[in-house]
Structure formats: structure tokens, C-alpha cells
Amino acid sequence: MRLMRLVLALGVAALAPVVVLQALANAKMPMPPAEYWNGFRTATFALARLEASGEVEGGMPQFSVRDPGPALARRAFASEPLATDALFVLAVDAQENGGEGAGREIVRLAGQLEMRNRYIGVLRMQDALADRDIDAAFALLDQFALVNPDLAGPLVTAMAQYVPDPAMRSSLAEALSRRPAWASDFWKFAPRNSIAVEGLIDLRSRVDVGTSAESDGILLAAAVRQKQYADALAMWERLAGGEADRLAYRTDERYAPIGWEFEQDARKSVNVTQSGGYRIFVAGNTSGTIGRQLVRLSPGNYLLEIDGDSNVMPRLQSALICAESEESPRWREGAEETRFTVSGECSIHWLILGADTFEQSNTLEGMLTRIDFRPAG
């Protein structure tokens, strides 16, 4: 079977009720006598026979239907033509056993009968993308964003696989310029697809519609996870405009990890206060990173200066390591004034702040009033 399965797989959120129904069926939930069923109820039991069977490229599941699912679906649709969930079951069964053409024809007719059915809609989207019919795919996205807004996110994530294609990026830029309802979902969900990140950064340089500080932060963080440090910094420079520091050092978290990316867990946390300070919590018997950010450095000497509570300062550590390096931080103890020397071998570094309470059982809590990093005078 050669139908593209990616959208169906990423539409698992849409199929969550099916999972529940399947669990009930596997638990051998007793069925009432058939004479008491209406078409909608029969379609529900047909959906319960849907199951994931194996995997294809990228770990995406395929779906199949166990008996008597197809027979139940035919009975459901015969008794109630508006029971379009049954057509979803029949379409999946046709794709498995009747060939691509048969499955597509059921999807086409079902789409004409019921445009709001989320399950059929996923298959329609699948077929549009398989045909590279981008206009049809965008039209379906517009529809989903209005009638099934919770499904728009997974579907735009699926579309992100095409972003590396320059022609697709141009189509997306044009579609986004029309201010579709799914624009904000696109920028929040598409960076989850790692192969799309580089193309998304290029697209972001052309498009503002649907973007926000939150979505820009998501895309920047995704670029850093992919070690696309130069691309991330270039995007940040465009966003920051005249505020862009040549070192890319920031005292806030707005575009983290360009800017501080602080730990936030049960044992270590740093929170920026309204006054611009930093409230630190580190549990006893703990050590390691509490915050980091990317900086772009030319060869030379640099100075890290920190002011804060007297009980906090002695337990702080700092380090500067090449972003491309796999080495562990070489901690410098204390942080009131720490000097670093940068050679010309690496231009993008991680500036890391740490704390050490490993030999203390007491919690470390307090305030830092200033963290400054600059070229040494």
C-alpha cells in the first residue's frame, strides 16, 4: 500500500476516542442485541475494531480494522447515512484490502457527504498531501482550524515535512499572508519536526503573520537543539534589531537560550523578578548547571560579574565552553568576578552558571541582583 500515512499518524490526537473504544473492545465489553442498535451506535462499535498495526518510516503507525469492523461499518451506514464514522472505517479497510483507488473514492464521497467529520478529514488531508495538492491541503487546514481547532496543530506539524522544499516555503509564505486561522498553530507546532527547522528560520525572515514572542522562542530553541547556532543567532539579530548586543548576551529570558535559559525543576530553579533580579533555589546535596545562554565571542578576554546575597555567592560556579564541544563544563568557583580568555578556534560559546551544594544538606536560597558579561577592559 503506497498511500502516504504521515498525516493520519500525526492526527492521532484526533483519533484519541478510537483508542478508548478499542480498549473497551479488547476488554470484551458486552454488546447489546443488534436490534437495539442505531446506525451511530453501530459505527461506534466499528471504530472500536480499528487498531495500529506495525510502523512505517519515522515510526509512524499504520491502521487496520479487525473483524467484524468492516461488516459493522457497512451495517451502520446502511441504516444511517449520516453515520460517517463508519465511512472512516470503510476507507481504512479499503486502503488495506481494496487498493489505493477504492480507499480514495470512499474518502472523496465521504468528504462530500460530511465536511465536519474529523476522521474523514484526516484522510482527505492525507490524500491532498500525497498528491502535493497544496491548495486543497490549505483549504482543508482552513476548515479544520474553524470546526476542529484542536486538530490544526497536529496537521500543520505534518505539513512541516515539506518546509525544506523552497517551492513549498513560497507556497506557505503566500498562504500565511492570507492570515489563515491556523497561522499561529503553524508557528507553534511546526518546529517539532526537526527536519523543518532550517527552512522555518528562512520562512520566518519573510513572514510575520501568526508569529509571537512565544512562537519565536520555540523556533529559536528548536534551532539550538539541532545545533544550528549560527542560524539561531541570525534570526535573533533580525528580531532584536537595534537592541542586538554584539556578544548576544542578554540579562533576561525573552529569547532563551539566546538570553538566560534557567533550570526550573524540583531541585534547582532560577526565576527572574519584576525588578530584574534573580531568585535562586538549590536543594541540598545538589550540583551542576542552573542557567546557560549562547554568546558569540571574538578572540580576547571577557569578564563575568555577579552581585548577590552573601550566602549565595560562595556557592556559585561559572564556565565558558565552545557550543560545538561535547566537553563537560570546567567550573570556576565563586562568581563575583571571573575572567575568561577566548581563542579564535570557536566563535559561539555557552556561558554557564552553576551552583554547588553537594556537600551541604541545607537548601540554598537567595537573590542575585546583577549578572553582567562583557569584554574585559
Side-chain angles (χ1 to χ4, degrees):
M1 180 178 58
R2 301 184 63 181
L3 274 176
M4 189 185 70
R5 298 283 187 170
L6 182 56
V7 176
L8 180 57
L10 288 178
V12 167
L15 307 179
V18 174
V19 177
V20 175
L21 291 167
Q22 182 182 334
L24 293 173
N26 290 341
K28 298 184 178 179
M29 180 181 67
M31 294 186 185
E35 58 265 31
Y36 293 106
W37 299 358
N38 61 31
F40 295 106
R41 183 74 181 277
T42 308
T44 296
F45 280 105
L47 279 173
R49 268 58 191 174
L50 193 75
E51 62 182 11
S53 57
E55 293 187 346
V56 293
E57 284 182 46
M60 303 304 179
Q62 297 188 51
F63 287 89
S64 61
V65 184
R66 292 182 290 112
D67 287 334
L72 290 171
R74 286 190 288 271
R75 181 190 300 172
F77 189 65
S79 64
E80 178 50 77
L82 295 180
T84 48
D85 285 353
L87 291 179
F88 171 71
V89 175
L90 292 175
V92 172
D93 180 62
Q95 289 174 357
E96 292 290 328
N97 301 305
E100 180 175 330
R104 280 179 169 244
E105 182 64 10
I106 292 174
V107 170
R108 185 185 68 81
L109 293 172
Q112 293 177 354
L113 180 64
E114 170 60 275
M115 297 182 64
R116 299 173 64 91
N117 186 293
R118 61 197 289 126
Y119 307 137
I120 293 297
V122 168
L123 296 182
R124 292 172 66 200
M125 187 74 169
Q126 169 185 293
D127 288 346
L129 289 179
D131 293 338
R132 286 190 170 269
D133 188 343
I134 301 305
D135 290 338
F138 287 148
L140 284 166
L141 263 180
D142 290 341
Q143 178 184 324
F144 273 117
L146 294 174
V147 300
N148 289 303
D150 59 314
L151 191 54
L155 289 178
V156 297
T157 304
M159 291 192 71
Q161 68 175 312
Y162 296 105
V163 172
D165 181 346
M168 178 61 175
R169 287 203 298 278
S170 296
S171 296
L172 272 169
E174 182 180 346
L176 287 165
S177 71
R178 297 193 289 267
R179 300 186 176 277
W182 47 268
S184 61
D185 282 316
F186 175 81
W187 289 110
K188 290 178 183 177
F189 284 85
R192 297 183 182 187
N193 189 326
S194 60
I195 68 169
V197 171
E198 184 175 0
L200 287 170
I201 290 176
D202 172 66
L203 184 62
R204 180 64 183 87
S205 70
R206 297 188 254 167
V207 177
D208 290 324
V209 175
T211 62
S212 64
E214 178 188 6
S215 66
D216 286 338
I218 290 170
L219 180 53
L220 281 171
V224 172
R225 284 196 301 273
Q226 298 300 313
K227 297 187 176 181
Q228 296 174 8
Y229 303 121
D231 288 340
L233 285 164
M235 176 181 164
W236 169 76
E237 282 187 326
R238 290 195 299 268
L239 294 173
E243 297 179 6
D245 181 274
R246 69 183 182 88
L247 304 185
Y249 175 76
R250 296 186 62 90
T251 58
D252 58 28
E253 307 168 285
R254 183 180 180 188
Y255 292 119
I258 302 173
W260 286 112
E261 181 181 64
F262 289 123
E263 293 289 317
Q264 298 289 342
D265 59 39
R267 299 197 64 81
K268 295 181 291 185
S269 68
V270 181
N271 295 286
V272 180
T273 66
Q274 290 184 347
S275 62
Y278 310 86
R279 184 174 299 280
I280 290 182
F281 167 86
V282 181
N285 306 122
T286 302
S287 64
T289 299
I290 61 174
R292 65 175 190 166
Q293 69 168 286
L294 280 180
V295 287
R296 181 177 48 208
L297 307 176
S298 302
N301 298 314
Y302 295 86
L303 182 65
L304 174 68
E305 291 184 323
I306 302 178
D307 297 328
D309 293 345
S310 59
N311 66 308
V312 175
M313 297 296 293
R315 310 308 304 170
L316 293 182
Q317 302 171 313
S318 59
L320 190 68
I321 62 173
C322 180
E324 298 287 354
S325 172
E326 300 296 331
E327 66 179 282
S328 299
R330 297 180 181 179
W331 294 113
R332 308 277 288 273
E333 302 297 330
E336 290 186 8
E337 183 176 298
T338 306
R339 291 179 177 269
F340 298 98
T341 298
V342 173
S343 68
E345 298 176 357
C346 181
S347 62
I348 301 176
H349 292 71
W350 284 111
L351 175 63
I352 308 174
L353 191 64
D356 182 9
T357 64
F358 192 73
E359 296 181 356
Q360 297 181 345
S361 58
N362 294 333
T363 296
L364 175 65
E365 293 185 82
M367 288 290 301
L368 300 179
T369 56
R370 183 175 69 100
I371 306 176
D372 185 40
F373 183 74
R374 65 180 190 277

